[in-house]
């Protein structure tokens, strides 16, 4: 299709193999060098080794997800200047190896957060769920963050207390791990680590975090531009402040402010519909259009909201996201670029997350939360069908650009 359809792959230890990924119909994989600690340089040798592994399987490495941003950069403390330099070197090395779409996020302390990794839907499939009350139980009673109660309505605090008291020790432990120790390349995080990391943000509010983000962008974008790379920021997930920490890439206003932080075309966006849709007032198609020119990567997924203000990950074509409108807008942006003669017209896409369905429900090997083979395969198949249908019906002239030869 026009978009570079990709699957996330966590590297050689991923239970979903490159061969399986190829069979899903994806042509690309997005991955990271998870073995390299945050902040260290990615060498050409390490990058090439991974790239060749992917290409031997008949796929391309279509985007880096992610080149992680160290906490010292987010807090602008300690050796942050050295870390900027390492980031620039990694970008140059990635550029030399032909990688041009580089994902990162600027979420303090934790990356994405869910409270249930195995929430069962009426059809027996399993999905990821974010429950505010359960999160309050974590924040107030498990993490025991100072003044955490003040961040929740009294009735939520009350319900959270009851919920926490009803959990067995084992359940509470598993719940804790699901929240804090769930990120590839960042394993073994404990509650004390989280507390120590949180304390570094005591004096960092929204304005300070935005300023640190801007300083980072201004220092690395010139190198990215020279290297032919585009940095694309992943939205906050969920898109609202948590653990007393600011979140700065959650709303339409944040998108506008991001673009103003650095004019470089290297300052780009990874438009994740699932993350942005966690906030009911986010109107995704206009938000996408407001930054379309800078989008290098889209994550397509939807959410469904419950009356209590919680949300779970819905089937890709269901839930609150106007997926038809989104895919149409992504197609139109690519057409606009083709007409402008831009070489970087193709946008990388991955079906973001997927439910645990069918045979995966009986799998004995652990499934990375959100990254089942069959649920994502289903999502990809639906999204490709949608893209093909839109192209055929509205823009048949551009069908010739589908496929690698374009
Ligand atoms: C979750 C992902 C995120 C994303 C990072 C990018 O499934 O979408 O973890 O990869 O935030 O830096």
């Amino acid at each position: 299709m026009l978009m570079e359809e990709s699957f996330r792959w966590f590297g050689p230890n991923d239970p979903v193999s490159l061969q399986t990924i190829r069979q899903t119909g994806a042509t690309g994989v997005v991955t990271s060098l998870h073995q390299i600690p945050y902040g260290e340089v990615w060498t050409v040798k390490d990058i090439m080794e991974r790239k060749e592994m992917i290409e031997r399987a008949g796929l391309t490495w279509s985007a880096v997800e992610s080149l992680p941003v160290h906490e010292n950069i987010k807090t602008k403390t300690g050796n942050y200047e050295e870390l900027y330099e390492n980031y620039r070197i990694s970008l140059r090395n990635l550029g030399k190896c032909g990688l041009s779409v580089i994902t990162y996020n600027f979420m303090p302390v934790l990356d994405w957060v869910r409270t249930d990794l195995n929430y069962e839907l009426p059809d027996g499939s399993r999905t990821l769920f974010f429950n505010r009350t359960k999160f309050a139980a974590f924040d107030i009673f498990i993490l025991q963050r100072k003044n955490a109660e003040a961040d929740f309505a009294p009735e939520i605090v009350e319900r959270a207390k009851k919920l926490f008291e009803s959990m067995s020790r084992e359940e509470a432990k598993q719940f804790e791990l699901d929240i804090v120790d769930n990120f590839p390349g960042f394993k073994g995080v404990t509650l004390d680590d989280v507390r120590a990391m949180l304390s570094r943000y005591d004096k960092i509010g929204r304005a300070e975090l935005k300023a640190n983000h801007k300083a980072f962008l201004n220092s690395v974008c010139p190198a990215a531009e020279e290297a032919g790379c585009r940095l694309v920021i992943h939205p906050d997930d969920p898109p609202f402040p948590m653990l007393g920490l600011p979140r700065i890439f959650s709303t339409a206003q944040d998108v506008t402010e991001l673009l103003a932080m650095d004019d470089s075309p290297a300052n780009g966006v990874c438009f994740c519909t699932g993350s942005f849709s966690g906030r009911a007032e986010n109107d995704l198609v206009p938000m996408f259009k407001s930054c379309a020119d800078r989008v290098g990567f889209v994550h397509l997924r939807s959410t469904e909201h419950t009356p209590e203000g919680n949300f779970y990950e819905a089937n890709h074509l269901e839930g609150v996201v106007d997926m038809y409108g989104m895919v149409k807008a992504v197609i139109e942006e690519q057409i606009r670029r083709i007409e402008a003669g831009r070489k970087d017209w193709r946008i990388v896409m991955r079906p973001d997350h997927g439910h645990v369905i069918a045979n995966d429900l009986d799998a004995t090997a652990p499934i990375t939360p959100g990254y089942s083979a069959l649920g994502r395969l289903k999502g990809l198949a639906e999204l490709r069908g949608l893209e093909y249908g839109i192209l055929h019906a509205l823009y048949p002239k551009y069908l010739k650009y589908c496929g690698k030869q374009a």
Side-chain angles (χ1 to χ4, degrees):
M1 293 300 128
L2 278 195
M3 297 187 278
E4 170 88 58
E5 271 107 8
S6 303
F7 235 56
R8 192 170 193 182
W9 182 62
F10 291 104
N13 297 327
D14 192 323
V16 180
S17 68
L18 288 174
Q19 191 181 24
T20 299
I21 293 177
R22 193 163 171 198
Q23 290 165 6
T24 66
T27 52
V29 297
V30 304
T31 193
S32 180
L33 300 181
H34 295 294
Q35 74 277 17
I36 302 182
Y38 286 18
E40 285 184 19
V41 167
W42 288 22
T43 64
V44 167
K45 180 171 167 287
D46 286 336
I47 301 165
M48 281 315 289
E49 217 170 81
R50 185 57 56 87
K51 187 167 185 248
E52 281 159 11
M53 190 184 291
I54 294 166
E55 288 173 356
R56 274 198 301 276
L59 293 157
T60 48
W61 186 353
S62 50
V64 172
E65 184 175 357
S66 303
L67 181 59
V69 176
H70 194 280
E71 285 290 302
N72 286 1
I73 291 183
K74 294 180 185 170
T75 51
K76 202 159 174 256
T77 55
N79 65 341
Y80 72 93
E81 303 227 31
E82 188 188 321
L83 292 165
Y84 287 167
E85 177 60 7
N86 287 357
Y87 209 93
R88 286 190 289 261
I89 299 174
S90 297
L91 287 170
R92 288 191 196 104
N93 290 345
L94 286 162
K96 280 183 205 148
C97 299
L99 282 149
S100 58
V101 180
I102 320 294
T103 318
Y104 73 103
N105 71 68
F106 221 77
M107 287 177 252
V109 183
L110 296 179
D111 189 323
W112 60 280
V113 175
R114 296 290 183 275
T115 55
D116 293 273
L117 303 180
N118 282 299
Y119 181 77
E120 197 172 315
L121 291 169
D123 65 1
S125 59
R126 294 202 308 255
T127 189
L128 307 182
F129 192 98
F130 184 83
N131 178 317
R132 287 181 193 256
T133 304
K134 206 166 168 188
F135 189 72
F138 168 79
D139 197 2
I140 305 170
F141 303 106
I142 297 181
L143 184 64
Q144 298 177 6
R145 183 172 62 87
K146 214 169 123 204
N147 300 330
E149 273 167 68
D151 289 355
F152 302 94
E155 61 276 16
I156 296 210
V157 177
E158 196 45 45
R159 273 188 267 143
K161 184 157 184 270
K162 290 212 179 87
L163 182 76
F164 174 66
E165 284 166 357
S166 74
M167 284 184 202
S168 67
R169 273 178 91 95
E170 294 72 36
E171 280 167 347
K173 184 72 199 164
Q174 188 53 51
F175 176 41
E176 171 194 320
L177 293 176
D178 287 350
I179 293 198
V180 303
D181 191 22
N182 202 21
F183 310 105
F186 196 50
K187 282 299 209 185
V189 178
T190 65
L191 282 183
D192 279 337
D193 295 334
V194 174
R195 290 185 189 113
M197 287 194 280
L198 284 177
S199 69
R200 301 182 57 190
Y201 286 85
D202 282 349
K203 296 202 173 58
I204 301 179
R206 245 184 104 64
E208 291 75 17
L209 192 62
K210 286 225 181 207
N212 296 353
H213 186 197
K214 181 175 180 344
F216 165 69
L217 284 172
N218 297 161
S219 104
V220 300
C221 280
E225 206 176 317
E226 256 171 56
C229 294
R230 166 170 284 162
L231 280 163
V232 292
I233 181 170
H234 186 278
D236 304 328
D237 187 6
F240 39 77
M242 34 199 344
L243 301 178
L245 295 167
R247 296 271 218 176
I248 57 166
F249 197 59
S250 300
T251 64
Q253 179 63 27
D254 289 338
V255 172
T256 308
E257 288 177 21
L258 169 93
L259 300 183
M261 282 181 192
D262 199 303
D263 282 344
S264 166
N267 171 24
V269 176
C270 167
F271 200 90
C272 176
T273 58
S275 304
F276 279 136
S277 74
R279 199 173 172 115
E281 67 272 25
N282 280 343
D283 192 356
L284 300 191
V285 175
M287 262 172 94
F288 173 81
K289 289 187 176 164
S290 77
C291 61
D293 186 51
R294 302 272 191 94
V295 172
F297 192 6
V298 288
H299 288 180
L300 298 181
R301 164 170 78 77
S302 189
T303 55
E304 192 64 89
H305 298 227
T306 73
E308 301 80 40
N310 303 324
F311 68 83
Y312 63 86
E313 300 192 358
N315 280 312
H316 290 79
L317 303 190
E318 294 166 14
V320 297
V321 173
D322 167 14
M323 202 55 88
Y324 168 79
M326 270 308 306
V327 172
K328 182 165 168 286
V330 177
I331 290 175
E332 286 165 354
E333 170 58 18
Q334 292 175 109
I335 290 177
R336 197 188 61 74
R337 294 182 191 181
I338 292 172
E339 293 305 334
R342 261 169 70 169
K343 282 210 214 78
D344 68 339
W345 61 265
R346 206 186 274 287
I347 293 180
V348 181
M349 176 279 265
R350 70 175 177 85
D352 193 26
H353 298 179
H355 294 173
V356 179
I357 56 169
N359 289 3
D360 275 347
L361 286 165
D362 306 319
T364 45
I367 294 177
T368 312
Y371 293 92
S372 64
L374 297 177
R376 285 185 295 158
L377 183 156
K378 179 180 165 200
L380 179 62
E382 292 178 345
L383 293 164
R384 289 176 85 205
L386 178 60
E387 187 185 6
Y388 184 65
I390 295 174
L391 272 174
H392 223 284
L394 303 180
Y395 304 108
K397 189 178 138 198
Y398 295 92
L399 280 166
K400 66 170 187 274
Y401 289 91
C402 295
K404 292 285 170 205
Q405 67 284 7

